[in-house]
């Protein structure tokens, strides 16, 4: 809520409540929190163009030390981040920390840490010709607010609403999503379908790796310890290219995927000219389904073709039964998600023929 007061977001009750979504309350109950959020939003209405921190302090919404918070955080970030060099060999790199501090808390709480979250040069989203360049410390929220992503992926906001919660999205970086190598990382699957290229650097030399070649086995990467991710880039979809992302989890929101999938498909006169299909939760690594994509390429989009593609996809996966579902369930989910991609992207298809 303090973050909301310091942001320049419209002070509507809806935005104030959205700012704290994903927080679980075990003591006071949600209605009183909602009422407090609405009251804060109402107080902020008078702010107009005044600096958010100054206004919130003047109105006693935030304690007085927030008036100088910007400078204080800046000084702190200089002392923590410094320049991005490898002067601290072996230091644990941390993006937003939403994964590493959960998975390895005891191991790293006293370790030497290199924070990348605010490191200059590792943030930002820009368009360069037909390509999009993304800094690995870009957060999910940055992506949601990016005009490039909004323009080229009109449904981007609805995809990202399926990913964690606002507080996590404000911290979770795209680089962290790739490097934690979770087989169900939502952005890993998203960018696998875009066939993204990654640039790694060891501080001196850079090298490029396709995201699809990064994962060698469960949580094993084609990356040396000293390499940090410097940039992500991908070709923006052209007018013949369609894109879709699907995710199924036990709960629609605030949950990780049982299976997720994304597709980028280029079509000319209903013939598929190029396709990348990615899926998570169906193998030890996030995967591009290359055989299925190869089968689809050069063919006319029909219900029969999709049924055959679904059968081929089943030969490329090796899901395991775990807390997210049984092997059989995950196989079924992948089939359904592939059909869902085509139903969404090719509205002329006869749904009843696909699902029978
Ligand atoms: C409550 C909760 C809900 C979540 N829900 C989802 C969800 O719905 N979908 C999903 O995909 N994930 C989810 N996650 C997992 C996590 O938030 C994401 O994977 C996130 O993108 C990780 O990014 P981060 O910056 O926090 O990574 P960090 O924890 O900072 O780092 C993860 C790994 O990446 C490395 N790393 C980070 N940046 C770089 C870099 N530039 N170069 C080299 N190495 C780097 C770190 O060293 C570490 O090994 C959730 C996590 C929590 C706590």
């Amino acid at each position: 809520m303090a973050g909301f007061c310091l942001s320049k977001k419209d002070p509507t009750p809806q935005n104030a409540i959205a700012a704290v979504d994903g927080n679980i309350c075990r003591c006071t109950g949600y209605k009183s929190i909602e009422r407090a959020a609405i009251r804060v939003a109402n107080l902020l209405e008078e702010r107009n163009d005044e600096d958010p921190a100054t206004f919130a302090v003047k109105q006693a919404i935030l304690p007085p030390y927030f008036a100088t918070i910007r400078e204080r955080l800046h000084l702190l970030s200089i002392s923590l981040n410094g320049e991005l060099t490898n002067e601290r060999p072996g230091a644990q790199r941390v993006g937003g920390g939403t994964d590493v501090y959960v998975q390895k808390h005891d191991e790293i709480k006293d370790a030497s840490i290199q924070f990348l979250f605010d490191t200059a040069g590792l943030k930002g989203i820009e368009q360069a010709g037909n390509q999009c360049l993304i800094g690995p410390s870009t957060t999910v929220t940055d992506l949601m607010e990016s005009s490039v992503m909004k323009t080229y992926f009109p449904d981007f906001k609805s995809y990202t609403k399926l990913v964690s919660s606002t507080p996590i999205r404000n911290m979770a970086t795209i680089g962290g999503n790739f490097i934690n190598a979770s087989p169900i990382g939502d952005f890993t699957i998203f960018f696998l379908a875009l066939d993204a290229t990654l640039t790694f650097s060891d501080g001196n030399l850079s090298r490029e790796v396709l995201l699809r070649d990064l994962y060698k086995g469960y949580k094993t990467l084609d990356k040396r310890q000293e390499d940090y991710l410097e940039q992500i880039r991908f070709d923006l979809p052209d007018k013949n290219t369609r894109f879709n992302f699907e995710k199924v989890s036990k709960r629609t929101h605030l949950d990780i995927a049982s299976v997720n999938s994304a597709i980028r498909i280029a079509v000319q006169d209903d013939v598929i000219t190029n396709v990348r299909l990615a899926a998570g939760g169906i193998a030890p690594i996030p995967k591009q389904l290359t055989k299925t994509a190869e089968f689809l390429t050069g063919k006319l989009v029909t219900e029969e073709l999709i049924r055959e593609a679904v059968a081929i996809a089943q030969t490329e996966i090796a899901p395991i039964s775990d807390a997210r579902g049984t092997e059989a369930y995950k196989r079924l989910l992948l089939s359904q998600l592939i059909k869902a991609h085509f139903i969404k992207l090719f509205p002329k298809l006869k749904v009843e023929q696909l699902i029978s």
Side-chain angles (χ1 to χ4, degrees):
M1 191 54 64
F4 174 69
C5 293
L6 296 173
S7 79
K8 290 193 170 157
K9 286 219 170 93
D10 270 355
T12 59
Q14 204 190 16
N15 282 345
I17 292 169
V20 287
D21 71 13
N23 283 287
I24 295 174
C25 171
R26 298 258 184 256
C27 39
T28 63
Y30 293 103
K31 282 295 154 197
S32 47
I33 293 173
E34 271 183 26
R35 280 196 299 274
I38 293 167
R39 200 167 146 219
V40 168
N42 291 340
L43 287 169
L44 291 176
E45 260 177 17
E46 307 287 307
R47 183 175 69 192
N48 300 318
D49 288 334
E50 207 172 324
D51 170 62
T54 317
F55 179 82
V57 167
K58 244 179 19 204
Q59 297 297 313
I61 307 172
L62 293 177
Y65 70 84
F66 271 94
T68 53
I69 200 80
R70 195 188 305 274
E71 296 76 30
R72 290 151 57 112
L73 286 175
H74 183 61
L75 290 174
L76 185 65
S77 95
I78 292 174
S79 67
L80 283 176
N81 287 317
E83 288 296 305
L84 181 63
T85 63
N86 273 345
E87 62 196 309
R88 272 179 282 166
Q92 169 71 47
R93 294 199 174 96
V94 175
T98 63
D99 183 69
V100 83
Y101 276 114
V102 177
Q103 308 286 350
K104 296 195 199 169
H105 181 263
D106 288 341
E107 206 180 304
I108 66 167
K109 69 181 176 9
D110 300 318
S112 167
I113 300 291
Q114 186 166 26
F115 290 105
L116 304 179
F117 191 77
D118 280 326
T119 302
L122 294 187
K123 258 184 138 62
I125 306 151
E126 71 179 79
Q127 182 171 355
N130 69 342
Q131 291 210 313
C132 182
L133 314 179
I134 299 180
S137 293
T138 298
T139 64
V140 177
T141 301
D142 294 335
L143 274 191
M144 280 172 98
E145 290 173 355
S146 143
S147 57
V148 182
M149 296 306 280
K150 279 186 207 156
T151 306
Y152 286 90
F153 303 93
D155 292 333
F156 192 70
K157 195 166 178 183
S158 65
Y159 307 146
T160 39
K161 285 274 174 192
L162 300 176
V163 179
S164 58
S165 57
T166 300
I168 298 288
R169 290 193 292 261
N170 287 344
M171 292 303 291
T173 68
I174 304 306
N177 203 271
F178 291 177
I179 305 299
N180 79 28
S182 161
I184 46 168
D186 287 316
F187 287 95
T188 311
I189 297 307
F190 186 94
F191 284 97
L192 264 175
L194 292 170
D195 213 20
T197 302
L198 313 184
T199 308
F200 284 98
S201 170
D202 61 8
N204 296 311
L205 294 174
S206 294
R207 79 189 173 101
E208 292 196 336
V209 179
L210 286 169
L211 180 57
R212 71 174 122 112
D213 295 331
L214 181 65
Y215 305 104
K216 297 298 174 200
Y218 180 68
K219 301 252 175 191
T220 309
L221 303 180
D222 175 13
K223 168 188 160 323
R224 295 167 309 167
Q225 202 278 330
E226 60 269 34
D227 291 341
Y228 64 88
L229 183 56
E230 198 175 35
Q231 193 184 62
I232 302 151
R233 68 164 207 276
F234 66 92
D235 289 342
L236 288 161
D238 63 16
K239 64 177 182 10
N240 295 324
T241 303
R242 306 170 196 194
F243 185 90
N244 190 43
F245 173 81
E246 297 284 338
K247 168 174 176 175
V248 175
S249 20
K250 286 191 171 177
R251 295 177 304 196
T252 308
H253 294 105
L254 307 177
D255 203 357
I256 51 170
S258 294
V259 175
N260 49 7
S261 177
I263 191 168
R264 187 195 69 186
I265 184 163
V267 184
Q268 197 117 39
D269 303 326
D270 281 344
V271 172
I272 300 170
T273 54
N274 191 293
V275 59
R276 299 281 175 187
L277 175 64
I282 46 74
I285 59 171
K287 226 180 133 132
Q288 261 197 11
L289 302 180
T290 46
K291 282 191 199 153
T292 313
E294 218 170 276
F295 167 77
L296 286 165
T297 308
K299 306 221 170 74
L300 195 68
V301 178
T302 63
E303 293 81 2
E304 178 58 24
L305 180 81
I306 297 154
R307 280 205 302 268
E308 286 179 50
V310 161
I312 292 170
Q314 290 296 326
T315 67
E316 305 197 62
I317 63 173
I320 51 164
S321 298
D322 61 15
R324 319 293 315 155
T326 60
E327 178 196 339
Y329 176 60
K330 291 180 188 176
R331 285 189 175 276
L332 176 66
L333 281 185
L334 179 70
S335 297
Q336 302 301 76
L337 295 191
I338 295 175
K339 290 175 191 170
H341 287 316
F342 281 93
I343 289 169
K344 272 208 189 144
L345 298 177
F346 298 88
K348 283 195 212 141
L349 286 170
K350 296 194 179 66
V351 176
E352 60 289 357
Q353 285 188 25
L354 259 183
I355 54 177
S356 62

